[in-house]
Amino acid sequence: MSRKDKDALRRKLLATRAVLGDDAASHTVDAATRCARRVAEGIVPQWCSRVGASTDPVVTLAAYAPDVGEPGWCMDESGAAKPGVFVQALRSAFWEAGVKVTVVLPRVLPGRLMAWHVYERMEDLAPGAFGLLEPLECLPTVDVTDIDIFVVPALACTATGERLGRGAGFYDRALGAAGVGTGVQTPARRSARPLVAALVHDHEVVDTVFAEPHDAPVDLVLTSGLGGNHMAAR
Protein backbone atom coordinates (compact mmCIF):
# COMPACT_ATOMS: atom_id res chain seq x y z
CA MET A 1 0.00 0.00 0.00
CA SER A 2 1.18 3.51 -0.75
CA ARG A 3 -0.22 6.97 -0.13
CA LYS A 4 -0.44 7.29 -3.92
CA ASP A 5 -2.88 4.35 -4.03
CA LYS A 6 -5.06 5.97 -1.41
CA ASP A 7 -5.03 9.36 -3.12
CA ALA A 8 -5.84 7.77 -6.48
CA LEU A 9 -8.82 5.97 -4.96
CA ARG A 10 -10.07 9.25 -3.48
CA ARG A 11 -9.83 11.02 -6.82
CA LYS A 12 -11.72 8.22 -8.56
CA LEU A 13 -14.51 8.21 -5.98
CA LEU A 14 -14.83 12.00 -5.97
CA ALA A 15 -15.08 12.02 -9.76
CA THR A 16 -17.88 9.47 -9.62
CA ARG A 17 -19.70 11.51 -6.98
CA ALA A 18 -19.44 14.61 -9.15
CA VAL A 19 -21.33 12.72 -11.85
CA LEU A 20 -23.89 11.48 -9.34
CA GLY A 21 -24.47 15.05 -8.20
CA ASP A 22 -25.63 15.96 -11.70
CA ASP A 23 -28.28 13.22 -11.70
CA ALA A 24 -31.29 15.11 -10.33
CA ALA A 25 -33.57 12.08 -10.63
CA SER A 26 -31.50 10.22 -8.02
CA HIS A 27 -31.49 13.07 -5.50
CA THR A 28 -35.12 13.82 -4.82
CA VAL A 29 -36.56 14.72 -1.43
CA ASP A 30 -38.27 11.32 -1.36
CA ALA A 31 -34.96 9.56 -2.02
CA ALA A 32 -33.24 11.46 0.79
CA THR A 33 -36.07 10.58 3.16
CA ARG A 34 -35.85 6.91 2.24
CA CYS A 35 -32.08 7.02 2.75
CA ALA A 36 -32.53 8.48 6.23
CA ARG A 37 -35.04 5.79 7.16
CA ARG A 38 -32.64 3.14 5.92
CA VAL A 39 -29.92 4.56 8.15
CA ALA A 40 -32.19 4.46 11.19
CA GLU A 41 -33.34 0.92 10.38
CA GLY A 42 -29.71 -0.19 10.24
CA ILE A 43 -28.61 1.51 13.45
CA VAL A 44 -31.52 1.12 15.87
CA PRO A 45 -31.32 -2.68 16.29
CA GLN A 46 -27.56 -2.53 16.83
CA TRP A 47 -27.90 0.31 19.33
CA CYS A 48 -30.64 -1.41 21.31
CA SER A 49 -28.65 -4.65 21.33
CA ARG A 50 -25.60 -2.80 22.60
CA VAL A 51 -27.14 -0.79 25.42
CA GLY A 52 -30.24 -2.81 26.32
CA ALA A 53 -32.21 -1.21 29.15
CA SER A 54 -29.28 1.02 30.16
CA THR A 55 -29.86 3.62 27.46
CA ASP A 56 -30.72 7.19 28.43
CA PRO A 57 -34.24 8.42 27.65
CA VAL A 58 -32.65 10.68 25.03
CA VAL A 59 -29.70 9.57 22.91
CA THR A 60 -27.23 12.04 21.39
CA LEU A 61 -26.93 11.37 17.67
CA ALA A 62 -24.20 13.05 15.61
CA ALA A 63 -25.04 13.44 11.94
CA TYR A 64 -24.16 15.82 9.10
CA ALA A 65 -25.79 17.78 6.28
CA PRO A 66 -24.90 15.88 3.07
CA ASP A 67 -22.87 17.56 0.36
CA VAL A 68 -23.49 17.29 -3.39
CA GLY A 69 -23.30 13.67 -4.54
CA GLU A 70 -23.28 12.21 -1.04
CA PRO A 71 -25.98 9.79 0.08
CA GLY A 72 -28.91 11.80 1.43
CA TRP A 73 -28.20 14.95 -0.56
CA CYS A 74 -31.26 16.17 -2.45
CA MET A 75 -32.91 18.92 -4.46
CA ASP A 76 -36.52 20.03 -4.57
CA GLU A 77 -38.55 20.28 -7.77
CA SER A 78 -37.15 23.74 -8.50
CA GLY A 79 -33.58 22.42 -8.37
CA ALA A 80 -32.73 24.05 -5.02
CA ALA A 81 -30.45 22.00 -2.75
CA LYS A 82 -32.13 20.72 0.41
CA PRO A 83 -29.44 19.01 2.53
CA GLY A 84 -31.46 19.61 5.70
CA VAL A 85 -34.11 17.16 4.52
CA PHE A 86 -31.89 14.18 5.33
CA VAL A 87 -31.18 15.40 8.85
CA GLN A 88 -34.84 16.10 9.60
CA ALA A 89 -35.89 12.71 8.23
CA LEU A 90 -33.14 10.94 10.17
CA ARG A 91 -34.32 12.41 13.47
CA SER A 92 -37.94 11.53 12.68
CA ALA A 93 -37.00 7.97 11.75
CA PHE A 94 -35.21 7.40 15.06
CA TRP A 95 -38.12 8.78 17.06
CA GLU A 96 -40.59 6.64 15.11
CA ALA A 97 -38.42 3.60 15.88
CA GLY A 98 -38.71 4.36 19.59
CA VAL A 99 -35.25 5.90 20.09
CA LYS A 100 -35.51 9.53 21.20
CA VAL A 101 -32.56 11.47 19.87
CA THR A 102 -31.00 14.89 20.19
CA VAL A 103 -29.28 15.57 16.87
CA VAL A 104 -25.94 17.37 16.83
CA LEU A 105 -24.08 18.53 13.72
CA PRO A 106 -20.42 19.48 13.30
CA ARG A 107 -18.98 22.95 12.76
CA VAL A 108 -15.36 23.22 11.65
CA LEU A 109 -12.89 24.86 14.05
CA PRO A 110 -9.23 25.87 13.60
CA GLY A 111 -6.73 23.04 13.94
CA ARG A 112 -8.92 20.59 11.98
CA LEU A 113 -11.23 20.16 14.95
CA MET A 114 -15.02 20.26 15.12
CA ALA A 115 -17.61 21.60 17.55
CA TRP A 116 -20.91 19.77 17.86
CA HIS A 117 -24.05 21.92 17.92
CA VAL A 118 -27.62 20.91 18.73
CA TYR A 119 -29.78 20.96 15.60
CA GLU A 120 -33.51 21.65 15.63
CA ARG A 121 -34.58 22.94 12.21
CA MET A 122 -33.32 23.60 8.70
CA GLU A 123 -32.97 27.31 9.44
CA ASP A 124 -30.20 26.37 11.90
CA LEU A 125 -27.87 25.70 8.96
CA ALA A 126 -25.67 28.19 7.11
CA PRO A 127 -22.72 27.92 4.68
CA GLY A 128 -19.50 27.31 6.58
CA ALA A 129 -16.02 25.94 6.01
CA PHE A 130 -15.32 24.29 2.64
CA GLY A 131 -18.71 25.52 1.40
CA LEU A 132 -20.56 22.95 3.49
CA LEU A 133 -23.66 23.72 5.50
CA GLU A 134 -22.94 23.91 9.22
CA PRO A 135 -24.98 24.72 12.33
CA LEU A 136 -24.98 28.32 13.48
CA GLU A 137 -22.26 29.17 16.01
CA CYS A 138 -24.84 30.53 18.47
CA LEU A 139 -26.50 27.14 18.95
CA PRO A 140 -25.83 25.06 22.10
CA THR A 141 -22.91 22.64 21.96
CA VAL A 142 -22.35 19.09 23.17
CA ASP A 143 -18.97 17.62 24.08
CA VAL A 144 -17.81 14.93 21.67
CA THR A 145 -17.44 12.49 24.58
CA ASP A 146 -21.19 12.77 25.23
CA ILE A 147 -22.17 11.59 21.74
CA ASP A 148 -23.73 8.12 21.73
CA ILE A 149 -24.11 7.44 18.02
CA PHE A 150 -22.15 8.86 15.10
CA VAL A 151 -23.40 8.81 11.51
CA VAL A 152 -20.33 9.85 9.55
CA PRO A 153 -19.68 10.57 5.88
CA ALA A 154 -17.25 8.46 3.90
CA LEU A 155 -16.02 8.16 0.35
CA ALA A 156 -15.79 4.39 0.72
CA CYS A 157 -15.64 1.63 3.31
CA THR A 158 -14.72 -2.01 3.46
CA ALA A 159 -17.21 -4.51 4.78
CA THR A 160 -14.99 -4.88 7.85
CA GLY A 161 -15.35 -1.22 8.82
CA GLU A 162 -12.28 0.49 7.38
CA ARG A 163 -13.31 4.01 6.31
CA LEU A 164 -11.92 6.34 3.68
CA GLY A 165 -12.63 10.03 4.24
CA ARG A 166 -11.59 13.08 2.25
CA GLY A 167 -8.14 13.16 3.83
CA ALA A 168 -8.22 16.08 6.25
CA GLY A 169 -8.68 13.91 9.34
CA PHE A 170 -11.57 15.82 10.94
CA TYR A 171 -13.57 12.70 11.73
CA ASP A 172 -10.54 10.62 12.68
CA ARG A 173 -9.73 13.23 15.34
CA ALA A 174 -13.33 13.51 16.53
CA LEU A 175 -13.82 9.77 16.78
CA GLY A 176 -10.49 9.36 18.53
CA ALA A 177 -11.51 11.98 21.08
CA ALA A 178 -14.76 10.07 21.60
CA GLY A 179 -12.87 6.88 22.38
CA VAL A 180 -13.29 5.04 19.08
CA GLY A 181 -10.47 2.61 18.46
CA THR A 182 -8.58 3.75 21.54
CA GLY A 183 -10.04 1.67 24.35
CA VAL A 184 -10.81 4.85 26.29
CA GLN A 185 -13.63 4.28 28.76
CA THR A 186 -16.58 6.56 28.05
CA PRO A 187 -19.59 7.24 30.32
CA ALA A 188 -21.01 4.21 32.11
CA ARG A 189 -24.47 4.85 30.69
CA ARG A 190 -23.31 3.33 27.41
CA SER A 191 -20.82 0.71 26.28
CA ALA A 192 -17.08 1.40 26.23
CA ARG A 193 -17.38 3.56 23.12
CA PRO A 194 -20.07 5.08 20.90
CA LEU A 195 -21.63 3.29 17.97
CA VAL A 196 -20.21 4.58 14.68
CA ALA A 197 -21.94 4.11 11.33
CA ALA A 198 -20.67 5.29 7.95
CA LEU A 199 -23.01 5.99 5.04
CA VAL A 200 -21.92 5.29 1.46
CA HIS A 201 -23.41 4.51 -1.92
CA ASP A 202 -23.76 0.83 -2.72
CA HIS A 203 -20.76 0.78 -5.10
CA GLU A 204 -18.55 2.43 -2.45
CA VAL A 205 -18.25 -0.74 -0.36
CA VAL A 206 -14.86 -1.86 -1.65
CA ASP A 207 -12.20 -4.47 -0.95
CA THR A 208 -9.62 -2.02 0.40
CA VAL A 209 -9.36 1.66 1.29
CA PHE A 210 -5.62 1.44 2.04
CA ALA A 211 -6.29 2.13 5.73
CA GLU A 212 -3.53 3.52 7.94
CA PRO A 213 -3.14 3.31 11.73
CA HIS A 214 -4.62 6.78 12.29
CA ASP A 215 -7.82 5.98 10.35
CA ALA A 216 -10.69 5.51 12.81
CA PRO A 217 -12.81 2.42 12.06
CA VAL A 218 -16.60 2.20 12.03
CA ASP A 219 -18.94 -0.41 13.48
CA LEU A 220 -21.56 -0.36 10.78
CA VAL A 221 -21.38 0.35 7.06
CA LEU A 222 -24.72 1.55 5.72
CA THR A 223 -25.56 1.71 2.03
CA SER A 224 -27.94 4.23 0.55
CA GLY A 225 -29.74 1.94 -1.89
CA LEU A 226 -30.33 -1.77 -2.32
CA GLY A 227 -26.89 -2.95 -1.24
CA GLY A 228 -26.68 -4.85 2.02
CA ASN A 229 -25.54 -3.23 5.26
CA HIS A 230 -22.40 -4.56 6.91
CA MET A 231 -21.80 -5.01 10.63
CA ALA A 232 -18.05 -4.80 11.06
CA ALA A 233 -16.60 -7.56 13.24
CA ARG A 234 -13.91 -5.89 15.36
Side-chain angles (χ1 to χ4, degrees):
M1 186 275 287
S2 72
R3 181 57 63 88
K4 289 184 178 180
D5 295 324
K6 196 173 188 178
D7 290 343
L9 178 59
R10 278 199 184 96
R11 289 193 296 270
K12 177 181 177 181
L13 292 165
L14 286 168
T16 301
R17 284 206 173 167
V19 174
L20 290 174
D22 292 333
D23 182 12
S26 299
H27 294 287
T28 64
V29 170
D30 285 346
T33 301
R34 290 195 301 271
C35 180
R37 291 186 178 278
R38 182 175 176 81
V39 170
E41 289 168 359
I43 292 175
V44 168
Q46 302 299 334
W47 175 252
C48 292
S49 174
R50 174 176 288 203
V51 301
S54 65
T55 184
D56 274 0
V58 179
V59 173
T60 301
L61 169 68
Y64 61 97
D67 193 17
V68 178
E70 290 184 334
W73 181 79
C74 69
M75 299 179 287
D76 63 17
E77 293 180 356
S78 71
K82 295 291 183 180
V85 167
F86 173 80
V87 183
Q88 294 283 108
L90 186 63
R91 179 172 58 186
S92 296
F94 270 86
W95 278 73
E96 290 169 9
V99 179
K100 299 177 182 179
V101 294
T102 294
V103 175
V104 296
L105 302 182
R107 183 175 60 83
V108 171
L109 300 175
R112 297 188 178 184
L113 302 175
M114 295 190 289
W116 299 89
H117 293 263
V118 176
Y119 170 86
E120 292 291 344
R121 54 184 183 168
M122 295 187 191
E123 291 77 11
D124 290 342
L125 298 174
F130 309 109
L132 302 175
L133 285 182
E134 297 182 340
L136 300 174
E137 186 176 357
C138 62
L139 297 172
T141 58
V142 169
D143 192 275
V144 69
T145 60
D146 290 326
I147 295 173
D148 300 292
I149 301 171
F150 286 88
V151 178
V152 302
L155 289 177
C157 289
T158 67
T160 55
E162 294 173 328
R163 171 186 170 272
L164 179 69
R166 291 178 180 254
F170 283 97
Y171 278 93
D172 292 326
R173 290 178 180 84
L175 295 175
V180 174
T182 65
V184 174
Q185 183 65 39
T186 50
R189 60 186 172 80
R190 68 181 186 212
S191 60
R193 54 182 171 77
L195 177 66
V196 184
L199 176 59
V200 295
H201 294 293
D202 294 11
H203 66 274
E204 292 168 343
V205 179
V206 297
D207 291 334
T208 182
V209 295
F210 307 105
E212 299 175 83
H214 65 264
D215 292 325
V218 302
D219 302 295
L220 186 62
V221 179
L222 303 169
T223 55
S224 59
L226 299 177
N229 294 333
H230 303 272
M231 188 65 189
R234 293 191 286 103

